[in-house]
């Protein structure tokens, strides 16, 4: 059974940077998509960035394109999200997810979810 464990959240000033991580306790299936979602109070859950493992491709929401970078360490089975130029609107609970495929930003296509890590950006 795959478990996803996020870490690295916290509070940061606007324009600052933060990196969050998501470790899989066992490797996910080959070609699985590993994705970061976020959910802020009174907003819909949003797909932030995704990486089909092994493909080298990445996908980003328009709201974070050019500021966030998703990456994966194959040796550690760990997904990262480097967040730069943070804004107050980036404040949310960030969740990592893993699934076999489908539109990357749609949550129903994911089998496994982490417990979330809070990111708070103060202006």
């Amino acid at each position: 059974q795959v478990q996803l464990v996020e870490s690295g959240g916290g509070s940061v000033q606007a324009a600052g940077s933060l990196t969050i991580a998501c470790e899989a306790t066992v490797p996910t299936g080959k070609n699985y998509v590993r994705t970061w979602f976020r959910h802020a109070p009174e907003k819909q859950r949003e797909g932030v960035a995704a990486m089909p493992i092994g493909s080298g491709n990445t996908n980003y929401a328009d709201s974070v394109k050019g500021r966030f970078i998703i990456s994966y360490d194959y040796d550690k089975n760990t997904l990262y999200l480097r967040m730069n130029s943070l804004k107050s609107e980036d404040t949310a609970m960030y969740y990592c997810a893993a699934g076999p495929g489908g539109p990357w930003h749609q949550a129903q296509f994911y089998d496994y979810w982490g417990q979330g890590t809070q990111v708070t950006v103060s202006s």
Side-chain angles (χ1 to χ4, degrees):
Q1 178 75 8
V2 175
Q3 289 186 322
L4 303 177
V5 182
E6 297 103 334
S7 61
S11 297
V12 63
Q13 295 277 345
S17 297
L18 194 67
T19 298
I20 54 178
C22 174
E23 181 182 4
T25 54
V26 296
T28 54
K30 190 178 181 181
N31 299 323
Y32 257 52
V33 180
R34 296 286 299 273
T35 299
W36 287 102
F37 285 84
R38 66 185 180 186
H39 195 186
E42 301 181 359
K43 292 186 179 179
Q44 288 191 334
R45 179 168 44 190
E46 175 187 23
V48 176
M51 171 179 280
I53 301 305
S55 76
N57 297 327
T58 56
N59 300 95
Y60 294 95
D62 288 343
S63 57
V64 306
K65 205 171 289 184
R67 298 189 298 123
F68 289 12
I69 301 171
I70 189 171
S71 62
Y72 188 73
D73 186 322
Y74 288 85
D75 291 334
K76 296 180 179 179
N77 297 323
T78 299
L79 185 74
Y80 298 95
L81 187 68
R82 174 67 175 179
M83 303 179 286
N84 300 313
S85 303
L86 282 160
K87 306 174 182 180
S88 57
E89 51 262 45
D90 295 317
T91 295
M93 185 72 82
Y94 283 72
Y95 299 89
C96 66
W104 70 269
H105 57 285
Q106 295 187 14
Q108 65 263 36
F109 292 102
Y110 292 86
D111 299 331
Y112 306 106
W113 291 83
Q115 81 286 354
T117 187
Q118 177 68 37
V119 173
T120 302
V121 184
S122 56
S123 56

